[in-house]
Amino acid sequence: MTFPDDVTVVLPRAHGDPLSAATIRSTPEDFIVIEDLGYAFSGEGEHVILTIEKRELNTLRCCANTCQIRQCKTYGSWLCRT
């Protein structure tokens, strides 16, 4: 199946024009994720807990940038190790 380069082109419809139109999830604000692990952090131990807000950046790129800033190596697909 091939698609037209211009996705706004009007293709033939089997049952006429649509009765309505909508745009779903078209801005970054539509994608808000709040991670709730179900427990509070103790503040002790060897782990570092970060709160990160990102916009128009995928998780892998965000983690790679964080590792670069913290001067640690990327590990696996996204974890950082010092």
Side-chain angles (χ1 to χ4, degrees), residues 7-51:
V7 294
T8 61
V9 69
V10 178
L11 299 173
R13 301 177 188 272
H15 302 286
D17 291 334
L19 301 176
S20 62
T23 302
I24 300 173
R25 297 183 180 175
S26 61
T27 65
E29 289 78 15
D30 294 331
F31 299 91
I32 296 175
V33 176
I34 299 172
E35 297 286 347
D36 182 6
L37 301 177
Y39 56 87
F41 299 112
S42 67
E44 298 178 8
E46 63 180 288
H47 295 85
V48 175
I49 307 303
L50 302 174
T51 299

Side-chain angles (χ1 to χ4, degrees), residues 59-80:
T59 300
L60 292 178
R61 185 75 258 158
C62 182
C63 289
N65 290 352
T66 303
C67 288
Q68 184 177 11
I69 290 167
R70 291 190 33 89
Q71 298 179 347
C72 57
K73 300 173 188 173
T74 56
Y75 177 78
S77 61
W78 59 276
L79 296 173
C80 299

